[in-house]
Amino acid sequence: MTSFFMALLNESFNKVQKFNTYTIVYKGLNIISLSQIFVFEHSLGRLISGGFFSKLKIVSLDNYLKAIISFFYLFRKNSNKKIEYLFINDVYNQSMISNMRDVSKSFADGFVEIVCDKRILQKDSVFLFKFFTPLNYFKELFKLFEVNKSDIKEIKKLSTEFKIHPFLLIMNIIESIFIINCIEGFFRKYKSIKSITLNSDAHKVSRAFVLYARTKNIKTKVIQHGSTVLEYGYLPVLADTIFTWGSISNDWFLTRGTSKNQLKITGTPKTDRMIKYDIINKDITEVKDILLVINPIGNTNVEKVLEIIKTSGLHNKYNLKIKLHPGSIDNKEQVEKYFLNTQAKIYKKENIHELIMDSDIVITTTSTVGNEAIAFYKPLIQLEISEINVQMEYNEFNCSHSIKNSYSLDNLLDNLELLNSKKTNYENFITEYFYKLDGGSAFRIINGII
């Protein structure tokens, strides 16, 4: 590794390690660890957005709203059969959801799926919040007045270390107690669960399930949900097993302290759908269609990306397609501010593989889509933003063109020979990164679960 990359690794990884040294024990669980995503996204400014729902997330009230909405579904009939396999879709991210459901659909009636958002509810889903027991919850809240001095000291130290107001941290901890209350209610009904599969074990609900499962000796498996970009979204791996995409991902986790026994290479279900496409490794002879992928890298950085694209005038010269992030934070308002009244087309839920296949080149920052663009043998352009100190794996394989401004972007798009030049490095990257693009990743994960 280069010294530059090692410095980046040490900085971000050390922050995750530092966070996980803080401890507040609640019912045998380190409840402060459930706030990891919240604390890091707050410190990076990723929670700041103009939407009402995002404002609720800042003060940790969003799950209460979801719970209120779920009350309208309390009387939905769910299977009362003996259930052994639990799948959790707790994050509103279409890519993660479809990944999980490609696996869970093979379990017929022998599983239950937990969801936390009406937008992803389907016929056989169960709302986590329907298991809420108010009496127990308010009893636990009353106990907060008995918090000892060491817990208060931990909160103060953590808020200072990560520059987050103690009130916001306390609100998030209270929300965690609410989540644990719902999980306890779930297991009072579903007593035969022997295996839990998750999209993440860093996000709050999933991590709470993993920690609770340890107390019940229930096995937990996590599916790698995206490109290993930010340590706080993946580490530490608390599940018994993580199904990784390939040798590059495995090395990433090993380098950051994950046990070899926790890692199992399977590939990712999202690439299983690629086998239906007629993918050909051929040079482009003309640029007509450009796909711009927006990643929630903070409002300020998204503005910089949009400014580069707008200044280059790509929406006037080419068929510009802009793909919003599939999660709840998608920067839609910012994109519309720049491109709503232009010829550019804005997409949210559309199939990303269809969009890549129908494009000549792909432009992104630090998105998983960059890896998939390479798998489709499309020229990849990565916009460099100085505030984003992230090294993507395809950078190390010299598979992308790095661009810092609109002038460089315009020059590159006019040079077809240069655009095509990086594709000679694709084959090696695909083999190392995706393991096998044979359509069998979901099957390998299913075997790992069973």
Side-chain angles (χ1 to χ4, degrees):
M1 292 185 190
T2 65
S3 58
F4 173 73
F5 180 67
M6 283 300 299
L8 292 180
L9 187 159
N10 291 335
E11 180 184 357
S12 55
F13 180 47
N14 287 345
K15 284 184 177 179
V16 174
Q17 286 187 308
K18 180 67 175 178
F19 175 85
N20 282 279
T21 62
Y22 292 96
T23 304
I24 295 179
V25 177
Y26 170 77
K27 293 190 173 181
L29 313 180
N30 180 14
I31 195 170
I32 200 70
S33 71
L34 305 185
S35 298
Q36 178 168 307
I37 295 290
F38 173 79
V39 168
F40 277 85
E41 294 206 332
H42 185 280
S43 65
L44 292 172
R46 294 183 69 168
L47 291 179
I48 301 173
S49 181
F52 172 72
F53 194 72
S54 294
K55 288 182 172 63
L56 288 181
K57 290 183 82 170
I58 293 173
V59 289
S60 301
L61 294 176
D62 53 308
N63 277 317
Y64 299 111
L65 177 60
K66 293 176 185 177
I68 292 171
I69 295 172
S70 74
F71 290 157
F72 294 100
Y73 299 87
L74 285 177
F75 303 104
R76 294 174 80 239
K77 290 184 178 181
N78 297 108
S79 174
N80 291 319
K81 297 179 181 179
K82 182 178 179 181
I83 300 296
E84 296 184 335
Y85 298 98
L86 169 62
F87 295 86
I88 300 175
N89 270 318
D90 59 323
V91 181
Y92 178 65
N93 182 309
Q94 294 297 336
S95 177
M96 294 168 68
I97 295 162
S98 61
N99 231 24
M100 177 70 79
R101 287 176 176 168
D102 282 349
V103 174
S104 63
K105 67 185 180 183
S106 297
F107 283 77
D109 295 328
F111 79 96
V112 63
E113 178 195 63
I114 282 287
V115 299
C116 302
D117 196 311
K118 178 187 177 299
R119 291 171 291 183
I120 60 176
L121 188 69
Q122 61 179 14
K123 182 181 178 181
D124 297 322
S125 303
V126 177
F127 255 121
L128 173 63
F129 307 116
K130 72 177 292 183
F131 302 101
F132 174 55
T133 50
L135 183 60
N136 289 344
Y137 175 63
F138 289 113
K139 282 182 180 178
E140 295 300 327
L141 284 187
F142 184 76
K143 291 181 182 179
L144 285 180
F145 293 103
E146 303 173 5
V147 173
N148 60 49
K149 291 182 179 179
S150 64
D151 290 340
I152 295 173
K153 188 176 180 180
E154 285 287 275
I155 291 173
K156 288 182 177 179
K157 284 168 57 181
L158 181 59
S159 65
T160 301
E161 176 81 26
F162 288 88
K163 297 180 175 57
I164 179 172
H165 197 283
F167 170 76
L168 296 180
L169 191 55
I170 291 170
M171 288 292 289
N172 199 257
I173 292 172
I174 291 173
E175 182 197 54
S176 296
I177 294 173
F178 167 67
I179 296 297
I180 292 172
N181 175 278
C182 295
I183 291 174
E184 289 177 325
F186 169 82
F187 279 102
R188 278 194 290 271
K189 178 175 181 180
Y190 292 91
K191 298 178 180 180
S192 56
I193 299 293
K194 70 177 185 181
S195 176
I196 303 175
T197 305
L198 319 100
N199 269 315
S200 160
D201 61 353
H203 290 80
K204 174 174 288 189
V205 172
S206 291
R207 178 165 286 188
F209 264 101
V210 170
L211 295 181
Y212 190 86
R214 284 182 176 179
T215 68
K216 302 293 183 181
N217 294 317
I218 299 171
K219 293 297 182 182
T220 53
K221 325 274 177 127
V222 61
I223 301 172
Q224 181 184 332
H225 64 267
S227 180
T228 47
V229 178
L230 298 170
E231 278 80 0
Y232 75 82
Y234 297 91
L235 301 173
V237 176
L238 300 180
D240 296 299
T241 304
I242 179 167
F243 301 115
T244 61
W245 289 7
S247 59
I248 292 178
S249 296
N250 253 35
D251 291 343
W252 189 90
F253 283 106
L254 286 169
T255 303
R256 290 158 178 79
T258 305
S259 168
K260 185 178 180 180
N261 294 331
Q262 291 175 279
L263 301 168
K264 184 176 181 61
I265 297 176
T266 57
T268 172
K270 68 170 61 182
T271 62
D272 289 352
R273 308 171 207 124
M274 289 173 53
I275 60 173
K276 70 178 183 179
Y277 298 98
D278 184 21
I279 300 173
I280 302 174
N281 181 11
K282 64 178 182 179
D283 290 347
I284 59 169
T285 57
E286 184 181 10
V287 178
K288 289 184 178 179
D289 297 280
I290 295 178
L291 175 62
L292 170 65
V293 179
I294 301 296
N295 210 32
I297 50 180
N299 286 356
T300 302
N301 291 326
V302 170
E303 289 275 348
K304 292 177 181 178
V305 168
L306 296 174
E307 188 65 41
I308 291 174
I309 301 301
K310 189 69 179 287
T311 303
S312 295
L314 301 191
H315 53 292
N316 295 322
K317 305 172 188 175
Y318 309 96
N319 298 322
L320 178 62
K321 296 171 285 187
I322 303 175
K323 178 66 167 66
L324 301 173
H325 193 265
S328 57
I329 300 176
D330 58 17
N331 301 99
K332 181 181 180 181
E333 291 181 7
Q334 288 174 289
V335 172
E336 289 183 340
K337 183 178 76 173
Y338 279 84
F339 295 101
L340 183 60
N341 295 318
T342 70
Q343 296 180 28
K345 295 181 180 179
I346 302 172
Y347 301 92
K348 168 73 175 182
K349 297 181 179 180
E350 284 73 10
N351 187 309
I352 186 61
H353 291 162
E354 296 284 350
L355 293 174
I356 295 174
M357 190 69 184
D358 293 336
S359 301
D360 296 309
I361 64 172
V362 176
I363 301 175
T364 185
T365 51
T366 56
S367 174
T368 299
V369 174
N371 304 304
E372 294 173 270
I374 292 171
F376 276 87
Y377 292 97
K378 302 291 183 177
L380 175 64
I381 299 175
Q382 182 179 354
L383 297 180
E384 283 190 16
I385 306 299
S386 58
E387 287 77 10
I388 304 176
N389 296 319
V390 174
Q391 181 83 351
M392 300 296 290
E393 290 91 346
Y394 50 70
N395 297 139
E396 296 182 60
F397 282 74
N398 194 24
C399 291
S400 65
H401 300 275
S402 295
I403 294 298
K404 295 182 179 180
N405 51 56
S406 57
Y407 175 77
S408 299
L409 178 58
D410 291 336
N411 287 340
L412 176 59
L413 293 176
D414 288 335
N415 191 336
L416 291 177
E417 183 178 354
L418 181 59
L419 266 177
N420 288 310
S421 64
K422 303 284 187 178
K423 293 169 68 177
T424 57
N425 303 317
Y426 281 16
E427 203 66 50
N428 189 29
F429 173 78
I430 291 170
T431 301
E432 293 287 321
Y433 195 77
F434 287 116
Y435 183 46
K436 295 178 182 178
L437 296 178
D438 59 355
S441 298
F443 181 73
R444 287 187 284 271
I445 290 172
I446 291 164
N447 280 341
I449 293 171
I450 294 175

